[in-house]
C-alpha cells in the first residue's frame, strides 16, 4: 500500500504519537503484529554470524550490544574496521556494550550534563536494535549516529534510545558506537590504508544493517541514516559509499552538521598527529599501539590547548581528506554520484554557538576589537559591515553575541543553506528547518543552542533529566513542538516527506521560495528565512 500524505493524522496521547498504523493511514489488518516471533520474554534472531537473544521492552523487541565488526584492539588499533568472526551458540544481546573511550567528568557540564558514561573500552564496535517485531514486515529503518565533537557520545545513551521511533513510527531503529578521539581520528598515512577509522566503523555498521536488518523486521532497501553535529557530518561522509553504483541508504537527516569545518589534508593531519605523539611521548604508531587507551584519552585535554584558536569551536581531532576513505568535503558527496539520489532533511538551531561560548567567562568578556579581528577571517575588508549587521539583528547585542552568531553561521547555518541551495539548483530533494525555540535555562543565555532540538526529535524528555539546558521550558510548548517534530521525522523516514497533519505545509527547499520550517512555539513555514545572511556572507548570491 502506498502512503498518501493527505490521509495521515497525528494523534497525541500525553504528548506522544498514538500509533504508527494510524499515523501512516495503514490499517492493522494490513501490517504484521508487533510481537517478537519467538515469545515475549526472549526474542531470538538467526544471523550469519550466529544466534542472538534479545529482550522485550514494552511492545518492542530489543537487541543490545550486537557486534558489527571485530574488536579494534592490539594490532587492529588504528586499522580499518574488520569483519567480526561470529560466535558459537546463542549470544545474549540484553545489555549495551561498552562505549568508545572518551573524556569523562562525573556530573557533566552546565549544558548537556553527561554525554557518554562508563564503562568505556576499545572493544566498542557494537550496535543496538529496537523493533516492533523480529518478523518479515519489512519496516523502514532508521540508523542514528550520535555527535559529540568527535570525542564523546555513545549509541547506548538513554537520550538516543530508539524506543520512541520504533514504537511511534512502526520503524526499526538502530544506534551505533564507533571509535572516537585519538582512537578514531588520528592519521598516520601508513601502508596506503588511509585514516578516518571512525568512518570505516560507521560504514561497517551500515553494511551490517543492510545485510542483517531483515531478520529484525526491517527493509534493507529503505534505510534512513540520521545524525546530529559530528554525527550529521558522518551521514554526509557515508553518502560517498556506493557499492554497485547505488547509495547504501535512501534518506539522510542532518541535524546541525558542522559543514563549515575545514577538513585537513593528509599533510595537515600528520602535523596534528605529530603534536599528539609529542604529548604522549611516543615516536611512532608502533609505540603508540602499546600505550593504554586511558593515557591516550588523557592526552585529549592537552590537545585542546595545542590546537585551539580564539573565536573558533575547539576540535582537537578531525576527519582527514586521505584520498582513500574520503576524497572531498562531505557536503559535496550529497551533490553528485550516488549521494545525489538521497533524500535530504537538513537544519540547524538559531543560536548554535551559544552552546560552547555563552557560559564561557573569557568569551563573555570579549571586546569589539577582538570580534572584529575574528570577523576579518570570514569577511575580510567587509568585517566592520558584517559586525554592524549582526549587532543590529540582536537588540542590545554585546561583542560576544556578535561572535556567537558569526561562529554559528560560519560553522553550521551558512554551509547548510549552501548545501540546500546547491541541491535545489540540481533539482534534488531537500527540506530545510531552523529550530527557533529558546530555552530559559541559565537566564536565557543559551537561547536556541546547539543540541537543543535533540529531545524534541526523539520526544523523550524523561531521558534528558540530567540535561541542565532544558530547565524552565513550558511543558505544554515543549510537548507540542516535540510531537510535531517527532512526527515529521517519522514521516520523512517512512515516505521521504516530512509533512503530516496538522502541522503547516512544509515544501521542499527550492530556488524560488527557499522554504524553511521555523520550529518554535508556533511552527511556521518561512520563505528564504536566512536570505539576509546568505547575501551578507556571499554578496553575489541571488
Amino acid at each position: 500500500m502506498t502512503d498518501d500524505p493527505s490521509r495521515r493524522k497525528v494523534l497525541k496521547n500525553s504528548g506522544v504519537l498514538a500509533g504508527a498504523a494510524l499515523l501512516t493511514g495503514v490499517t492493522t489488518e494490513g501490517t504484521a503484529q508487533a510481537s517478537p516471533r519467538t515469545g515475549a520474554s526472549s526474542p531470538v534472531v538467526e544471523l550469519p554470524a550466529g544466534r542472538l537473544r534479545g529482550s522485550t521492552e514494552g511492545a518492542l523487541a530489543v537487541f543490545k550490544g550486537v557486534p558489527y565488526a571485530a574488536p579494534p584492539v592490539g594490532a587492529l588499533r588504528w586499522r580499518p574496521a574488520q569483519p567480526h568472526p561470529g560466535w558459537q551458540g546463542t549470544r545474549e544481546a540484553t545489555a549495551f556494550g561498552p562505549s568508545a573511550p572518551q573524556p569523562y567528568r562525573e556530573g557533566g557540564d552546565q549544558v548537556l550534563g553527561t554525554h557518554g558514561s562508563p564503562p568505556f573500552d576499545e572493544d566498542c564496535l557494537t550496535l543496538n536494535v529496537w523493533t516492533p517485531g523480529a518478523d518479515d514486515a519489512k519496516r523502514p529503518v532508521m540508523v542514528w549516529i550520535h555527535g559529540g565533537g568527535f570525542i564523546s557520545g555513545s549509541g547506548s545513551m538513554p537520550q538516543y534510545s530508539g524506543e520512541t521511533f520504533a514504537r511511534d513510527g512502526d520503524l526499526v531503529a538502530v544506534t551505533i558506537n564507533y571509535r572516537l578521539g585519538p582512537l578514531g581520528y588520528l592519521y598516520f598515512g601508513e601502508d596506503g590504508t588511509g585514516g578516518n577509522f571512525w568512518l570505516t566503523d560507521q560504514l561497517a555498521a551500515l553494511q551490517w544493517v543492510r545485510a542483517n536488518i531483515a531478520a529484525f523486521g526491517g527493509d534493507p532497501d529503505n534505510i534512513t541514516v540520521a545524525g546530529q553535529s559530528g554525527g550529521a557530518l558522518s551521514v554526509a561522509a557515508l553518502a560517498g559509499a556506493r557499492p554497485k553504483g547505488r547509495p547504501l541508504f535512501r534518506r539522510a537527516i542532518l541535524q546541525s552538521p558542522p559543514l563549515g569545518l575545514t577538513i585537513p589534508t593528509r599533510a595537515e593531519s600528520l602535523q596534528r598527529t605529530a603534536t599528539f605523539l609529542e604529548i604522549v611521548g611516543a615516536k611512532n604508531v608502533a609505540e603508540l599501539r602499546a600505550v593504554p587507551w586511558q593515557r591516550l584519552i588523557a592526552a585529549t585535554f592537552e590537545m585542546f590547548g595545542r590546537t585551539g584558536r580564539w573565536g573558533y569551536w575547539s576540535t582537537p581531532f578531525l576527519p582527514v581528506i586521505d584520498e582513500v576513505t574520503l576524497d572531498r568535503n562531505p557536503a559535496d558527496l550529497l551533490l553528485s554520484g550516488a549521494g545525489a539520489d538521497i533524500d535530504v532533511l537538513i537544519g540547524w538551531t538559531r543560536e548554535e554557538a551559544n552552546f560552547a561560548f555563552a557560559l564561557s567567562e573569557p568569551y563573555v568578556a570579549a571586546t569589539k576589537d577582538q570580534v572584529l579581528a575574528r570577523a576579518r577571517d570570514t569577511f575580510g575588508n567587509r568585517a566592520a559591515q558584517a559586525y554592524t549587521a549582526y549587532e543590529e539583528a540582536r537588540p542590545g547585542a554585546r561583542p560576544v553575541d556578535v561572535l556567537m552568531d558569526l561562529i554559528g553561521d560560519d560553522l553550521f547555518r551558512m554551509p547548510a543553506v549552501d548545501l540546500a541551495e546547491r541541491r535545489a539548483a540540481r533539482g534534488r530533494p531537500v527540506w530545510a528547518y531552523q529550530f527557533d525555540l529558546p530555552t530559559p535555562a541559565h537566564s536565557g543565555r543559551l537561547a536556541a543552542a546547539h543540541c537543543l532540538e535533540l529531545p524534541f526529535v526523539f520526544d523523550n524528555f524523561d531521558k534528558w533529566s540530567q540535561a541542565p539546558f532544558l530547565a524552565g521550558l513550558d511543558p505544554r510548548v515543549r510537548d507540542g513542538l516535540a510531537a510535531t517534530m517527532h512526527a515529521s521525522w517519522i514521516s520523512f523516514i517512512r515516505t521521504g516527506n516530512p509533512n503530516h497533519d496538522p502541522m503547516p505545509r512544509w515544501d521542499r527547499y527550492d530556488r524560488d521560495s527557499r522554504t524553511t520550517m521555523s520550529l518554535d512555539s508556533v511552527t511556521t513555514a518561512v520563505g528564504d528565512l536566512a536570505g539576509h545572511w546568505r547575501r551578507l556572507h556571499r554578496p553575489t548570491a541571488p
Side-chain angles (χ1 to χ4, degrees):
M1 180 182 294
T2 58
D3 183 35
D4 180 358
S6 68
R7 295 171 56 196
R8 278 182 267 133
K9 302 293 181 183
V10 176
L11 300 184
K12 297 178 182 177
N13 181 7
S14 301
V16 299
L17 303 179
L22 290 171
L23 172 66
T24 59
V26 179
T27 64
T28 55
E29 287 83 356
T31 60
Q33 295 301 306
S35 58
R37 180 174 57 198
T38 58
S41 59
S42 57
V44 174
V45 296
E46 296 277 356
L47 305 177
R51 184 182 298 111
L52 279 178
R53 178 183 289 116
S55 60
T56 298
E57 299 180 9
L60 301 176
V62 183
F63 299 83
K64 300 175 180 176
V66 181
Y68 65 81
V73 299
L76 293 184
R77 183 191 275 184
W78 295 305
R79 299 286 189 190
Q82 300 297 308
H84 194 275
W87 55 88
Q88 298 294 319
T90 301
R91 182 185 180 104
E92 296 296 323
T94 56
F96 292 117
S99 298
Q102 59 193 272
Y104 176 73
R105 182 176 64 187
E106 193 74 39
D109 59 38
Q110 300 179 76
V111 182
L112 280 182
T114 56
H115 193 254
S117 300
F120 303 124
D121 197 275
E122 281 189 85
D123 182 1
C124 63
L125 300 187
T126 60
L127 53 76
N128 316 292
V129 182
W130 288 259
T131 178
D135 48 34
D136 58 359
K138 298 193 73 171
R139 298 174 180 86
V141 179
M142 179 192 77
V143 178
W144 174 259
I145 304 178
H146 70 79
F150 312 123
I151 62 168
S152 73
S154 173
S156 60
M157 291 171 58
Q159 299 98 305
Y160 300 145
S161 167
E163 172 196 357
T164 54
F165 277 100
R167 181 193 67 213
D168 302 334
D170 193 31
L171 307 172
V172 180
V174 181
T175 64
I176 69 172
N177 289 344
Y178 57 95
R179 283 174 279 183
L180 300 170
L183 292 163
Y185 290 83
L186 283 180
Y187 175 67
F188 301 98
E190 62 174 356
D191 302 333
T193 55
N196 294 318
F197 307 107
W198 59 277
L199 183 57
T200 72
D201 296 345
Q202 294 172 3
L203 184 58
L206 192 52
Q207 290 171 329
W208 186 99
V209 171
R210 289 282 301 229
N212 294 282
I213 207 64
F216 299 87
D219 182 355
D221 293 319
N222 192 5
I223 296 172
T224 298
V225 183
Q228 185 265 351
S229 193
L233 187 81
S234 298
V235 175
L238 287 165
R242 44 186 185 273
K244 299 181 181 179
R246 61 193 180 101
L248 275 171
F249 49 100
R250 179 179 291 186
R251 302 183 183 105
I253 299 176
L254 295 90
Q255 299 173 211
S256 300
L259 298 176
L261 283 173
T262 300
I263 309 298
T265 64
R266 289 175 292 184
E268 291 166 339
S269 292
L270 285 172
Q271 290 178 353
R272 191 166 286 219
T273 298
T275 299
F276 188 83
L277 286 166
E278 180 184 332
I279 292 170
V280 175
K283 295 184 179 65
N284 51 45
V285 63
E287 289 189 10
L288 213 53
R289 282 198 174 97
V291 176
W293 66 256
Q294 291 87 346
R295 187 173 161 201
L296 301 177
I297 298 304
T300 296
F301 296 102
E302 189 166 343
M303 280 291 286
F304 270 105
R306 297 276 198 102
T307 61
R309 295 172 60 197
W310 193 92
Y312 289 84
W313 204 300
S314 293
T315 48
F317 302 100
L318 287 166
V320 52
I321 303 294
D322 63 353
E323 309 295 342
V324 177
T325 61
L326 195 64
D327 62 1
R328 71 195 86 167
N329 188 294
D332 295 336
L333 297 170
L334 286 164
L335 295 171
S336 60
D341 295 328
I342 295 171
D343 298 332
V344 173
L345 173 63
I346 189 169
W348 55 88
T349 72
R350 189 177 61 205
E351 287 95 7
E352 293 273 9
N354 288 33
F355 176 97
F357 299 92
L359 304 182
S360 167
E361 291 306 321
Y363 277 104
V364 169
T367 66
K368 181 175 181 178
D369 286 343
Q370 285 178 301
V371 177
L372 274 170
R374 166 63 181 85
R376 289 188 194 100
D377 290 351
T378 300
F379 292 99
N381 59 13
R382 295 187 300 116
Q385 172 194 347
Y387 187 100
T388 299
Y390 278 109
E391 190 176 43
E392 291 176 348
R394 194 192 288 210
R398 304 160 297 166
V400 67
D401 298 317
V402 172
L403 176 66
M404 290 188 295
D405 289 346
L406 170 60
I407 294 171
D409 275 358
D410 271 357
L411 191 55
F412 298 102
R413 183 164 67 156
M414 289 302 102
V417 169
D418 183 62
L419 177 58
E421 287 277 311
R422 291 192 290 163
R423 278 187 66 93
R426 290 165 170 79
R428 311 314 301 170
V430 57
W431 280 262
Y433 71 86
Q434 176 171 294
F435 184 88
D436 286 320
L437 183 70
T439 175
H442 294 292
S443 302
R445 285 183 288 168
L446 292 174
H450 190 64
C451 293
L452 187 58
E453 90 288 358
L454 284 166
F456 293 83
V457 166
F458 281 83
D459 197 6
N460 62 349
F461 290 96
D462 57 314
K463 300 296 195 298
W464 292 79
S465 59
Q466 89 298 338
F469 74 162
L470 295 178
L473 282 170
D474 183 326
R476 292 172 300 175
V477 172
R478 179 197 74 185
D479 294 346
L481 180 55
T484 295
M485 292 178 62
H486 187 55
S488 284
W489 265 238
I490 287 172
S491 182
F492 183 79
I493 293 165
R494 293 191 64 87
T495 71
N497 187 322
N499 282 283
H500 63 83
D501 294 334
M503 79 175 298
R505 179 172 176 78
W506 188 347
D507 290 328
R508 282 168 51 167
Y509 189 100
D510 60 39
R511 298 297 293 273
D512 294 325
S513 64
R514 295 185 167 93
T515 299
T516 305
M517 188 61 72
S518 169
L519 299 168
D520 204 338
S521 53
V522 177
T523 295
T524 309
V526 180
D528 203 10
L529 184 150
H532 174 72
W533 307 104
R534 179 169 49 80
R535 290 184 288 272
L536 177 69
H537 279 253
R538 296 174 180 81
T540 59

